[in-house]
Amino acid sequence: DALNTLLLVVILGLCILSSYLIKKHKFYYMPESAAALLVGLAVGGLARLVDPSKAELDFLSFQPELFFFLLLPPIIFEAGYTLRRKDFFRNFGTIIAYAVLGTLVS
């Protein structure tokens, strides 16, 4: 549906705009991924208030495959890319503990 595609483009545009505004105003207390999450929460809340149709709710519903394969990798990459080396090595023991424990559990 064309309206769903337009909604997706608007959401992506709002995420890019929020990222730009964070960098422009040097508001580094909020990561870009958190701003994108807030945009998604706002759009989802507005969609629920506007009395959407069943097709629109299905389009906006959470899909785990989409999240794990398309949305989560850029979030993890951004978090790793912006992590300072000093902070990484300060928490190295905790990171290794979670990595080993997660590997053993899975």
Side-chain angles (χ1 to χ4, degrees):
D1 188 47
L3 189 58
N4 289 341
T5 305
L6 177 64
L7 179 63
L8 183 63
V9 170
V10 168
I11 292 171
L12 288 173
L14 288 173
C15 288
I16 292 170
L17 178 67
S18 67
S19 173
Y20 169 74
L21 291 174
I22 286 173
K23 288 181 182 180
K24 181 182 178 193
H25 295 294
K26 297 179 181 165
F27 188 70
Y28 296 120
Y29 301 107
M30 178 184 292
E32 295 171 12
S33 56
L37 182 73
L38 290 176
V39 167
L41 283 172
V43 169
L46 285 173
R48 296 275 180 183
L49 291 175
V50 176
D51 193 32
S53 67
K54 175 79 170 125
E56 290 169 347
L57 282 179
D58 288 341
F59 179 74
L60 291 174
S61 67
F62 180 75
Q63 299 166 354
E65 295 84 15
L66 177 72
F67 176 76
F68 287 119
F69 293 124
L70 292 178
L71 299 177
L72 190 60
I75 293 170
I76 294 172
F77 177 75
E78 189 265 336
Y81 188 74
T82 59
L83 182 66
R84 292 188 307 230
R85 191 176 287 191
K86 181 175 108 175
D87 292 336
F88 175 77
F89 285 111
R90 184 172 47 197
N91 295 313
F92 191 71
T94 307
I95 293 169
I96 292 298
Y98 276 116
V100 170
L101 183 65
T103 302
L104 292 175
V105 168
S106 69

